[in-house]
Amino acid sequence: MTLLKWLGLGRESRAPEFDTLEAIEAALPDVDRSRRRYVASFAYILARSARADHEVTAEESRAMEQLLCAHTGIRPERAADVVRLAVAQGRRSGGTDDFVVTRMFDSLATQDEKLALVDALFAVTAVDASIVTIEDNEIRRIANELRVEHGEYIAIRSRHLQHLAVLRARQSPAAPSR
């Protein structure tokens, strides 16, 4: 072995990097080619918020399927496959592709589409009627990566306040002291 090869500077060709969204896009043959990346990244980001607490429930998956249909126009039977793949790809990458995929969506989406996605993220995490702090923080991180203005984020978040676990804990009455 030469010193250059040992240092990784040899002339050997490298395998192309794996694209996180390729498998999801492959499950969308009936979607216009120019729209596939948008749909795939939308689904991936939905799954990103759902897995923030390290668990994607069946209820969250169903909510993601419905939101994906509503926001991207894909058929319900296709949405189930796309959500399953998006969750799997997020787990596979261990979150290392989250920023890249979200910034890609940022480049593909209009401001209204970004705001709709942020609202959908809250809807997914609220499916169990409780948005825990780790989920809330992940949605804020995603909104930042999408360059959503703070005021716009707060307006969307305010529609989901009843589900924020941190606020509900403050509102519950104190136990009577004896």
PDB file of all heavy atoms in Angstrom, residues 112-150:
ATOM      1  N   ASP A 112     -45.092  30.296   1.820  1.00  0.00           N
ATOM      2  CA  ASP A 112     -46.352  29.717   2.295  1.00  0.00           C
ATOM      3  C   ASP A 112     -46.240  28.206   2.496  1.00  0.00           C
ATOM      4  O   ASP A 112     -46.800  27.654   3.444  1.00  0.00           O
ATOM      5  CB  ASP A 112     -47.496  30.024   1.333  1.00  0.00           C
ATOM      6  CG  ASP A 112     -47.948  31.474   1.404  1.00  0.00           C
ATOM      7  OD1 ASP A 112     -47.634  32.155   2.407  1.00  0.00           O
ATOM      8  OD2 ASP A 112     -48.614  31.930   0.455  1.00  0.00           O
ATOM      9  N   GLU A 113     -45.510  27.528   1.617  1.00  0.00           N
ATOM     10  CA  GLU A 113     -45.319  26.082   1.764  1.00  0.00           C
ATOM     11  C   GLU A 113     -44.470  25.760   2.991  1.00  0.00           C
ATOM     12  O   GLU A 113     -44.724  24.781   3.694  1.00  0.00           O
ATOM     13  CB  GLU A 113     -44.679  25.501   0.504  1.00  0.00           C
ATOM     14  CG  GLU A 113     -45.613  25.500  -0.694  1.00  0.00           C
ATOM     15  CD  GLU A 113     -44.934  25.167  -2.005  1.00  0.00           C
ATOM     16  OE1 GLU A 113     -43.727  25.493  -2.175  1.00  0.00           O
ATOM     17  OE2 GLU A 113     -45.612  24.582  -2.877  1.00  0.00           O
ATOM     18  N   LYS A 114     -43.493  26.596   3.273  1.00  0.00           N
ATOM     19  CA  LYS A 114     -42.668  26.400   4.475  1.00  0.00           C
ATOM     20  C   LYS A 114     -43.514  26.571   5.732  1.00  0.00           C
ATOM     21  O   LYS A 114     -43.409  25.782   6.675  1.00  0.00           O
ATOM     22  CB  LYS A 114     -41.507  27.388   4.496  1.00  0.00           C
ATOM     23  CG  LYS A 114     -40.490  27.172   3.405  1.00  0.00           C
ATOM     24  CD  LYS A 114     -39.447  28.257   3.482  1.00  0.00           C
ATOM     25  CE  LYS A 114     -38.757  28.453   2.163  1.00  0.00           C
ATOM     26  NZ  LYS A 114     -37.770  29.540   2.219  1.00  0.00           N
ATOM     27  N   LEU A 115     -44.350  27.593   5.740  1.00  0.00           N
ATOM     28  CA  LEU A 115     -45.213  27.828   6.902  1.00  0.00           C
ATOM     29  C   LEU A 115     -46.206  26.685   7.074  1.00  0.00           C
ATOM     30  O   LEU A 115     -46.475  26.252   8.202  1.00  0.00           O
ATOM     31  CB  LEU A 115     -45.938  29.164   6.764  1.00  0.00           C
ATOM     32  CG  LEU A 115     -45.035  30.413   6.710  1.00  0.00           C
ATOM     33  CD1 LEU A 115     -45.874  31.669   6.493  1.00  0.00           C
ATOM     34  CD2 LEU A 115     -44.171  30.531   7.949  1.00  0.00           C
ATOM     35  N   ALA A 116     -46.729  26.190   5.970  1.00  0.00           N
ATOM     36  CA  ALA A 116     -47.653  25.049   6.030  1.00  0.00           C
ATOM     37  C   ALA A 116     -46.942  23.814   6.587  1.00  0.00           C
ATOM     38  O   ALA A 116     -47.528  23.050   7.364  1.00  0.00           O
ATOM     39  CB  ALA A 116     -48.234  24.764   4.648  1.00  0.00           C
ATOM     40  N   LEU A 117     -45.691  23.625   6.205  1.00  0.00           N
ATOM     41  CA  LEU A 117     -44.927  22.490   6.731  1.00  0.00           C
ATOM     42  C   LEU A 117     -44.725  22.636   8.241  1.00  0.00           C
ATOM     43  O   LEU A 117     -44.927  21.673   8.988  1.00  0.00           O
ATOM     44  CB  LEU A 117     -43.573  22.362   6.025  1.00  0.00           C
ATOM     45  CG  LEU A 117     -42.630  21.299   6.606  1.00  0.00           C
ATOM     46  CD1 LEU A 117     -43.244  19.914   6.581  1.00  0.00           C
ATOM     47  CD2 LEU A 117     -41.299  21.324   5.877  1.00  0.00           C
ATOM     48  N   VAL A 118     -44.355  23.813   8.699  1.00  0.00           N
ATOM     49  CA  VAL A 118     -44.160  24.012  10.141  1.00  0.00           C
ATOM     50  C   VAL A 118     -45.453  23.717  10.901  1.00  0.00           C
ATOM     51  O   VAL A 118     -45.441  23.049  11.937  1.00  0.00           O
ATOM     52  CB  VAL A 118     -43.621  25.428  10.447  1.00  0.00           C
ATOM     53  CG1 VAL A 118     -43.602  25.708  11.946  1.00  0.00           C
ATOM     54  CG2 VAL A 118     -42.221  25.610   9.848  1.00  0.00           C
ATOM     55  N   ASP A 119     -46.575  24.170  10.367  1.00  0.00           N
ATOM     56  CA  ASP A 119     -47.863  23.875  10.994  1.00  0.00           C
ATOM     57  C   ASP A 119     -48.112  22.367  11.007  1.00  0.00           C
ATOM     58  O   ASP A 119     -48.586  21.803  12.007  1.00  0.00           O
ATOM     59  CB  ASP A 119     -48.985  24.606  10.265  1.00  0.00           C
ATOM     60  CG  ASP A 119     -50.298  24.534  11.035  1.00  0.00           C
ATOM     61  OD1 ASP A 119     -50.329  24.964  12.204  1.00  0.00           O
ATOM     62  OD2 ASP A 119     -51.283  24.033  10.460  1.00  0.00           O
ATOM     63  N   ALA A 120     -47.777  21.691   9.924  1.00  0.00           N
ATOM     64  CA  ALA A 120     -47.946  20.239   9.839  1.00  0.00           C
ATOM     65  C   ALA A 120     -47.046  19.526  10.855  1.00  0.00           C
ATOM     66  O   ALA A 120     -47.438  18.497  11.419  1.00  0.00           O
ATOM     67  CB  ALA A 120     -47.641  19.749   8.428  1.00  0.00           C
ATOM     68  N   LEU A 121     -45.863  20.060  11.112  1.00  0.00           N
ATOM     69  CA  LEU A 121     -44.962  19.460  12.099  1.00  0.00           C
ATOM     70  C   LEU A 121     -45.594  19.485  13.487  1.00  0.00           C
ATOM     71  O   LEU A 121     -45.523  18.499  14.234  1.00  0.00           O
ATOM     72  CB  LEU A 121     -43.620  20.199  12.119  1.00  0.00           C
ATOM     73  CG  LEU A 121     -42.816  20.182  10.823  1.00  0.00           C
ATOM     74  CD1 LEU A 121     -41.585  21.069  10.957  1.00  0.00           C
ATOM     75  CD2 LEU A 121     -42.447  18.780  10.413  1.00  0.00           C
ATOM     76  N   PHE A 122     -46.209  20.607  13.816  1.00  0.00           N
ATOM     77  CA  PHE A 122     -46.910  20.688  15.102  1.00  0.00           C
ATOM     78  C   PHE A 122     -48.083  19.706  15.132  1.00  0.00           C
ATOM     79  O   PHE A 122     -48.327  19.057  16.149  1.00  0.00           O
ATOM     80  CB  PHE A 122     -47.399  22.114  15.381  1.00  0.00           C
ATOM     81  CG  PHE A 122     -46.344  23.011  15.947  1.00  0.00           C
ATOM     82  CD1 PHE A 122     -45.812  24.039  15.191  1.00  0.00           C
ATOM     83  CD2 PHE A 122     -45.883  22.834  17.239  1.00  0.00           C
ATOM     84  CE1 PHE A 122     -44.841  24.876  15.720  1.00  0.00           C
ATOM     85  CE2 PHE A 122     -44.904  23.673  17.781  1.00  0.00           C
ATOM     86  CZ  PHE A 122     -44.379  24.692  17.015  1.00  0.00           C
ATOM     87  N   ALA A 123     -48.794  19.589  14.032  1.00  0.00           N
ATOM     88  CA  ALA A 123     -49.939  18.672  13.980  1.00  0.00           C
ATOM     89  C   ALA A 123     -49.507  17.224  14.194  1.00  0.00           C
ATOM     90  O   ALA A 123     -50.181  16.464  14.895  1.00  0.00           O
ATOM     91  CB  ALA A 123     -50.673  18.824  12.647  1.00  0.00           C
ATOM     92  N   VAL A 124     -48.381  16.834  13.608  1.00  0.00           N
ATOM     93  CA  VAL A 124     -47.885  15.468  13.781  1.00  0.00           C
ATOM     94  C   VAL A 124     -47.505  15.214  15.236  1.00  0.00           C
ATOM     95  O   VAL A 124     -47.891  14.201  15.817  1.00  0.00           O
ATOM     96  CB  VAL A 124     -46.670  15.194  12.860  1.00  0.00           C
ATOM     97  CG1 VAL A 124     -45.943  13.916  13.265  1.00  0.00           C
ATOM     98  CG2 VAL A 124     -47.111  15.116  11.418  1.00  0.00           C
ATOM     99  N   THR A 125     -46.769  16.134  15.824  1.00  0.00           N
ATOM    100  CA  THR A 125     -46.307  15.909  17.193  1.00  0.00           C
ATOM    101  C   THR A 125     -47.433  16.051  18.209  1.00  0.00           C
ATOM    102  O   THR A 125     -47.320  15.545  19.320  1.00  0.00           O
ATOM    103  CB  THR A 125     -45.144  16.843  17.553  1.00  0.00           C
ATOM    104  OG1 THR A 125     -45.553  18.204  17.381  1.00  0.00           O
ATOM    105  CG2 THR A 125     -43.927  16.557  16.683  1.00  0.00           C
ATOM    106  N   ALA A 126     -48.521  16.707  17.826  1.00  0.00           N
ATOM    107  CA  ALA A 126     -49.665  16.889  18.737  1.00  0.00           C
ATOM    108  C   ALA A 126     -50.677  15.762  18.629  1.00  0.00           C
ATOM    109  O   ALA A 126     -51.683  15.775  19.328  1.00  0.00           O
ATOM    110  CB  ALA A 126     -50.353  18.220  18.450  1.00  0.00           C
ATOM    111  N   VAL A 127     -50.425  14.778  17.797  1.00  0.00           N
ATOM    112  CA  VAL A 127     -51.409  13.722  17.567  1.00  0.00           C
ATOM    113  C   VAL A 127     -51.762  12.982  18.861  1.00  0.00           C
ATOM    114  O   VAL A 127     -52.885  12.507  19.019  1.00  0.00           O
ATOM    115  CB  VAL A 127     -50.947  12.769  16.443  1.00  0.00           C
ATOM    116  CG1 VAL A 127     -49.882  11.801  16.918  1.00  0.00           C
ATOM    117  CG2 VAL A 127     -52.105  12.042  15.837  1.00  0.00           C
ATOM    118  N   ASP A 128     -50.840  12.925  19.792  1.00  0.00           N
ATOM    119  CA  ASP A 128     -51.118  12.287  21.084  1.00  0.00           C
ATOM    120  C   ASP A 128     -51.555  13.308  22.133  1.00  0.00           C
ATOM    121  O   ASP A 128     -51.570  13.018  23.318  1.00  0.00           O
ATOM    122  CB  ASP A 128     -49.895  11.513  21.576  1.00  0.00           C
ATOM    123  CG  ASP A 128     -48.679  12.402  21.790  1.00  0.00           C
ATOM    124  OD1 ASP A 128     -48.734  13.612  21.482  1.00  0.00           O
ATOM    125  OD2 ASP A 128     -47.655  11.881  22.272  1.00  0.00           O
ATOM    126  N   ALA A 129     -51.912  14.509  21.675  1.00  0.00           N
ATOM    127  CA  ALA A 129     -52.388  15.613  22.518  1.00  0.00           C
ATOM    128  C   ALA A 129     -51.312  16.156  23.451  1.00  0.00           C
ATOM    129  O   ALA A 129     -51.622  16.822  24.428  1.00  0.00           O
ATOM    130  CB  ALA A 129     -53.638  15.221  23.300  1.00  0.00           C
ATOM    131  N   SER A 130     -50.056  15.879  23.148  1.00  0.00           N
ATOM    132  CA  SER A 130     -48.970  16.386  23.979  1.00  0.00           C
ATOM    133  C   SER A 130     -47.712  16.576  23.147  1.00  0.00           C
ATOM    134  O   SER A 130     -47.132  15.610  22.647  1.00  0.00           O
ATOM    135  CB  SER A 130     -48.687  15.414  25.122  1.00  0.00           C
ATOM    136  OG  SER A 130     -47.637  15.912  25.927  1.00  0.00           O
ATOM    137  N   ILE A 131     -47.303  17.822  22.999  1.00  0.00           N
ATOM    138  CA  ILE A 131     -46.046  18.134  22.316  1.00  0.00           C
ATOM    139  C   ILE A 131     -45.000  18.326  23.417  1.00  0.00           C
ATOM    140  O   ILE A 131     -45.044  19.309  24.158  1.00  0.00           O
ATOM    141  CB  ILE A 131     -46.164  19.414  21.467  1.00  0.00           C
ATOM    142  CG1 ILE A 131     -47.260  19.267  20.413  1.00  0.00           C
ATOM    143  CG2 ILE A 131     -44.819  19.744  20.808  1.00  0.00           C
ATOM    144  CD1 ILE A 131     -47.598  20.549  19.675  1.00  0.00           C
ATOM    145  N   VAL A 132     -44.093  17.364  23.527  1.00  0.00           N
ATOM    146  CA  VAL A 132     -43.071  17.449  24.565  1.00  0.00           C
ATOM    147  C   VAL A 132     -41.975  18.416  24.131  1.00  0.00           C
ATOM    148  O   VAL A 132     -41.854  18.754  22.950  1.00  0.00           O
ATOM    149  CB  VAL A 132     -42.499  16.062  24.926  1.00  0.00           C
ATOM    150  CG1 VAL A 132     -43.570  15.178  25.556  1.00  0.00           C
ATOM    151  CG2 VAL A 132     -41.881  15.391  23.720  1.00  0.00           C
ATOM    152  N   THR A 133     -41.189  18.860  25.086  1.00  0.00           N
ATOM    153  CA  THR A 133     -40.182  19.897  24.833  1.00  0.00           C
ATOM    154  C   THR A 133     -39.210  19.510  23.728  1.00  0.00           C
ATOM    155  O   THR A 133     -38.865  20.346  22.889  1.00  0.00           O
ATOM    156  CB  THR A 133     -39.422  20.219  26.137  1.00  0.00           C
ATOM    157  OG1 THR A 133     -40.370  20.639  27.121  1.00  0.00           O
ATOM    158  CG2 THR A 133     -38.396  21.310  25.917  1.00  0.00           C
ATOM    159  N   ILE A 134     -38.783  18.273  23.677  1.00  0.00           N
ATOM    160  CA  ILE A 134     -37.824  17.855  22.651  1.00  0.00           C
ATOM    161  C   ILE A 134     -38.433  17.985  21.246  1.00  0.00           C
ATOM    162  O   ILE A 134     -37.751  18.346  20.298  1.00  0.00           O
ATOM    163  CB  ILE A 134     -37.276  16.432  22.927  1.00  0.00           C
ATOM    164  CG1 ILE A 134     -36.017  16.190  22.096  1.00  0.00           C
ATOM    165  CG2 ILE A 134     -38.332  15.380  22.675  1.00  0.00           C
ATOM    166  CD1 ILE A 134     -35.244  14.960  22.534  1.00  0.00           C
ATOM    167  N   GLU A 135     -39.724  17.718  21.122  1.00  0.00           N
ATOM    168  CA  GLU A 135     -40.409  17.884  19.833  1.00  0.00           C
ATOM    169  C   GLU A 135     -40.542  19.364  19.479  1.00  0.00           C
ATOM    170  O   GLU A 135     -40.298  19.764  18.336  1.00  0.00           O
ATOM    171  CB  GLU A 135     -41.788  17.228  19.875  1.00  0.00           C
ATOM    172  CG  GLU A 135     -41.747  15.719  20.002  1.00  0.00           C
ATOM    173  CD  GLU A 135     -43.093  15.113  20.340  1.00  0.00           C
ATOM    174  OE1 GLU A 135     -43.906  15.750  21.042  1.00  0.00           O
ATOM    175  OE2 GLU A 135     -43.336  13.967  19.887  1.00  0.00           O
ATOM    176  N   ASP A 136     -40.922  20.162  20.458  1.00  0.00           N
ATOM    177  CA  ASP A 136     -41.050  21.608  20.265  1.00  0.00           C
ATOM    178  C   ASP A 136     -39.708  22.203  19.831  1.00  0.00           C
ATOM    179  O   ASP A 136     -39.640  23.008  18.891  1.00  0.00           O
ATOM    180  CB  ASP A 136     -41.540  22.249  21.570  1.00  0.00           C
ATOM    181  CG  ASP A 136     -41.892  23.714  21.447  1.00  0.00           C
ATOM    182  OD1 ASP A 136     -42.296  24.157  20.349  1.00  0.00           O
ATOM    183  OD2 ASP A 136     -41.768  24.428  22.461  1.00  0.00           O
ATOM    184  N   ASN A 137     -38.626  21.781  20.477  1.00  0.00           N
ATOM    185  CA  ASN A 137     -37.295  22.275  20.125  1.00  0.00           C
ATOM    186  C   ASN A 137     -36.891  21.862  18.715  1.00  0.00           C
ATOM    187  O   ASN A 137     -36.272  22.636  17.988  1.00  0.00           O
ATOM    188  CB  ASN A 137     -36.257  21.777  21.133  1.00  0.00           C
ATOM    189  CG  ASN A 137     -36.416  22.418  22.492  1.00  0.00           C
ATOM    190  OD1 ASN A 137     -37.072  23.446  22.651  1.00  0.00           O
ATOM    191  ND2 ASN A 137     -35.820  21.799  23.504  1.00  0.00           N
ATOM    192  N   GLU A 138     -37.239  20.636  18.339  1.00  0.00           N
ATOM    193  CA  GLU A 138     -36.895  20.164  16.988  1.00  0.00           C
ATOM    194  C   GLU A 138     -37.652  20.963  15.932  1.00  0.00           C
ATOM    195  O   GLU A 138     -37.094  21.328  14.894  1.00  0.00           O
ATOM    196  CB  GLU A 138     -37.189  18.670  16.850  1.00  0.00           C
ATOM    197  CG  GLU A 138     -36.742  18.076  15.530  1.00  0.00           C
ATOM    198  CD  GLU A 138     -35.222  18.059  15.347  1.00  0.00           C
ATOM    199  OE1 GLU A 138     -34.469  18.277  16.314  1.00  0.00           O
ATOM    200  OE2 GLU A 138     -34.790  17.818  14.210  1.00  0.00           O
ATOM    201  N   ILE A 139     -38.907  21.259  16.191  1.00  0.00           N
ATOM    202  CA  ILE A 139     -39.682  22.055  15.236  1.00  0.00           C
ATOM    203  C   ILE A 139     -39.087  23.449  15.114  1.00  0.00           C
ATOM    204  O   ILE A 139     -38.988  23.997  14.015  1.00  0.00           O
ATOM    205  CB  ILE A 139     -41.169  22.102  15.629  1.00  0.00           C
ATOM    206  CG1 ILE A 139     -41.776  20.698  15.546  1.00  0.00           C
ATOM    207  CG2 ILE A 139     -41.942  23.074  14.734  1.00  0.00           C
ATOM    208  CD1 ILE A 139     -43.160  20.574  16.157  1.00  0.00           C
ATOM    209  N   ARG A 140     -38.658  24.019  16.214  1.00  0.00           N
ATOM    210  CA  ARG A 140     -38.018  25.341  16.161  1.00  0.00           C
ATOM    211  C   ARG A 140     -36.743  25.281  15.339  1.00  0.00           C
ATOM    212  O   ARG A 140     -36.458  26.167  14.536  1.00  0.00           O
ATOM    213  CB  ARG A 140     -37.724  25.853  17.587  1.00  0.00           C
ATOM    214  CG  ARG A 140     -37.070  27.214  17.597  1.00  0.00           C
ATOM    215  CD  ARG A 140     -38.017  28.260  17.005  1.00  0.00           C
ATOM    216  NE  ARG A 140     -37.333  29.508  16.802  1.00  0.00           N
ATOM    217  CZ  ARG A 140     -37.499  30.275  15.741  1.00  0.00           C
ATOM    218  NH1 ARG A 140     -38.330  29.933  14.779  1.00  0.00           N
ATOM    219  NH2 ARG A 140     -36.862  31.393  15.617  1.00  0.00           N
ATOM    220  N   ARG A 141     -35.960  24.229  15.517  1.00  0.00           N
ATOM    221  CA  ARG A 141     -34.724  24.052  14.747  1.00  0.00           C
ATOM    222  C   ARG A 141     -35.043  23.950  13.252  1.00  0.00           C
ATOM    223  O   ARG A 141     -34.376  24.578  12.423  1.00  0.00           O
ATOM    224  CB  ARG A 141     -34.001  22.795  15.258  1.00  0.00           C
ATOM    225  CG  ARG A 141     -32.568  22.699  14.898  1.00  0.00           C
ATOM    226  CD  ARG A 141     -31.791  21.565  15.586  1.00  0.00           C
ATOM    227  NE  ARG A 141     -32.511  20.607  16.400  1.00  0.00           N
ATOM    228  CZ  ARG A 141     -32.667  20.699  17.717  1.00  0.00           C
ATOM    229  NH1 ARG A 141     -32.180  21.706  18.384  1.00  0.00           N
ATOM    230  NH2 ARG A 141     -33.322  19.749  18.376  1.00  0.00           N
ATOM    231  N   ILE A 142     -36.066  23.192  12.923  1.00  0.00           N
ATOM    232  CA  ILE A 142     -36.470  23.048  11.518  1.00  0.00           C
ATOM    233  C   ILE A 142     -36.913  24.401  10.957  1.00  0.00           C
ATOM    234  O   ILE A 142     -36.521  24.776   9.852  1.00  0.00           O
ATOM    235  CB  ILE A 142     -37.590  21.991  11.378  1.00  0.00           C
ATOM    236  CG1 ILE A 142     -37.044  20.594  11.699  1.00  0.00           C
ATOM    237  CG2 ILE A 142     -38.207  22.026   9.976  1.00  0.00           C
ATOM    238  CD1 ILE A 142     -38.112  19.532  11.905  1.00  0.00           C
ATOM    239  N   ALA A 143     -37.714  25.126  11.723  1.00  0.00           N
ATOM    240  CA  ALA A 143     -38.170  26.449  11.274  1.00  0.00           C
ATOM    241  C   ALA A 143     -36.983  27.374  11.022  1.00  0.00           C
ATOM    242  O   ALA A 143     -36.981  28.123  10.033  1.00  0.00           O
ATOM    243  CB  ALA A 143     -39.123  27.051  12.304  1.00  0.00           C
ATOM    244  N   ASN A 144     -35.979  27.314  11.874  1.00  0.00           N
ATOM    245  CA  ASN A 144     -34.770  28.121  11.656  1.00  0.00           C
ATOM    246  C   ASN A 144     -34.071  27.725  10.362  1.00  0.00           C
ATOM    247  O   ASN A 144     -33.632  28.579   9.597  1.00  0.00           O
ATOM    248  CB  ASN A 144     -33.794  27.977  12.829  1.00  0.00           C
ATOM    249  CG  ASN A 144     -34.211  28.776  14.031  1.00  0.00           C
ATOM    250  OD1 ASN A 144     -34.973  29.730  13.941  1.00  0.00           O
ATOM    251  ND2 ASN A 144     -33.718  28.372  15.193  1.00  0.00           N
ATOM    252  N   GLU A 145     -33.960  26.415  10.127  1.00  0.00           N
ATOM    253  CA  GLU A 145     -33.304  25.925   8.912  1.00  0.00           C
ATOM    254  C   GLU A 145     -34.082  26.311   7.657  1.00  0.00           C
ATOM    255  O   GLU A 145     -33.509  26.459   6.585  1.00  0.00           O
ATOM    256  CB  GLU A 145     -33.113  24.413   8.992  1.00  0.00           C
ATOM    257  CG  GLU A 145     -32.107  24.007  10.059  1.00  0.00           C
ATOM    258  CD  GLU A 145     -32.107  22.527  10.380  1.00  0.00           C
ATOM    259  OE1 GLU A 145     -32.707  21.730   9.617  1.00  0.00           O
ATOM    260  OE2 GLU A 145     -31.510  22.154  11.408  1.00  0.00           O
ATOM    261  N   LEU A 146     -35.395  26.480   7.812  1.00  0.00           N
ATOM    262  CA  LEU A 146     -36.246  26.910   6.690  1.00  0.00           C
ATOM    263  C   LEU A 146     -36.303  28.432   6.566  1.00  0.00           C
ATOM    264  O   LEU A 146     -37.011  28.956   5.712  1.00  0.00           O
ATOM    265  CB  LEU A 146     -37.669  26.364   6.869  1.00  0.00           C
ATOM    266  CG  LEU A 146     -37.833  24.859   6.778  1.00  0.00           C
ATOM    267  CD1 LEU A 146     -39.260  24.464   7.124  1.00  0.00           C
ATOM    268  CD2 LEU A 146     -37.451  24.363   5.393  1.00  0.00           C
ATOM    269  N   ARG A 147     -35.593  29.104   7.441  1.00  0.00           N
ATOM    270  CA  ARG A 147     -35.545  30.578   7.447  1.00  0.00           C
ATOM    271  C   ARG A 147     -36.921  31.199   7.693  1.00  0.00           C
ATOM    272  O   ARG A 147     -37.277  32.224   7.110  1.00  0.00           O
ATOM    273  CB  ARG A 147     -34.935  31.106   6.163  1.00  0.00           C
ATOM    274  CG  ARG A 147     -33.560  30.547   5.880  1.00  0.00           C
ATOM    275  CD  ARG A 147     -33.082  30.937   4.522  1.00  0.00           C
ATOM    276  NE  ARG A 147     -32.132  29.971   4.037  1.00  0.00           N
ATOM    277  CZ  ARG A 147     -31.055  30.295   3.360  1.00  0.00           C
ATOM    278  NH1 ARG A 147     -30.797  31.533   3.078  1.00  0.00           N
ATOM    279  NH2 ARG A 147     -30.242  29.355   2.945  1.00  0.00           N
ATOM    280  N   VAL A 148     -37.689  30.549   8.536  1.00  0.00           N
ATOM    281  CA  VAL A 148     -38.999  31.071   8.930  1.00  0.00           C
ATOM    282  C   VAL A 148     -38.745  32.147   9.980  1.00  0.00           C
ATOM    283  O   VAL A 148     -38.019  31.908  10.958  1.00  0.00           O
ATOM    284  CB  VAL A 148     -39.904  29.947   9.482  1.00  0.00           C
ATOM    285  CG1 VAL A 148     -41.167  30.499  10.112  1.00  0.00           C
ATOM    286  CG2 VAL A 148     -40.228  28.949   8.377  1.00  0.00           C
ATOM    287  N   GLU A 149     -39.327  33.298   9.781  1.00  0.00           N
ATOM    288  CA  GLU A 149     -39.170  34.402  10.727  1.00  0.00           C
ATOM    289  C   GLU A 149     -39.743  34.005  12.086  1.00  0.00           C
ATOM    290  O   GLU A 149     -40.734  33.269  12.167  1.00  0.00           O
ATOM    291  CB  GLU A 149     -39.879  35.652  10.216  1.00  0.00           C
ATOM    292  CG  GLU A 149     -39.272  36.234   8.958  1.00  0.00           C
ATOM    293  CD  GLU A 149     -37.893  36.830   9.184  1.00  0.00           C
ATOM    294  OE1 GLU A 149     -37.645  37.377  10.290  1.00  0.00           O
ATOM    295  OE2 GLU A 149     -37.063  36.736   8.273  1.00  0.00           O
ATOM    296  N   HIS A 150     -39.138  34.526  13.133  1.00  0.00           N
ATOM    297  CA  HIS A 150     -39.560  34.183  14.494  1.00  0.00           C
ATOM    298  C   HIS A 150     -41.040  34.496  14.724  1.00  0.00           C
ATOM    299  O   HIS A 150     -41.767  33.681  15.300  1.00  0.00           O
ATOM    300  CB  HIS A 150     -38.694  34.921  15.524  1.00  0.00           C
ATOM    301  CG  HIS A 150     -39.011  34.553  16.933  1.00  0.00           C
ATOM    302  ND1 HIS A 150     -38.728  33.301  17.456  1.00  0.00           N
ATOM    303  CD2 HIS A 150     -39.609  35.253  17.927  1.00  0.00           C
ATOM    304  CE1 HIS A 150     -39.135  33.256  18.710  1.00  0.00           C
ATOM    305  NE2 HIS A 150     -39.665  34.422  19.024  1.00  0.00           N
TER     306      HIS A 150
END
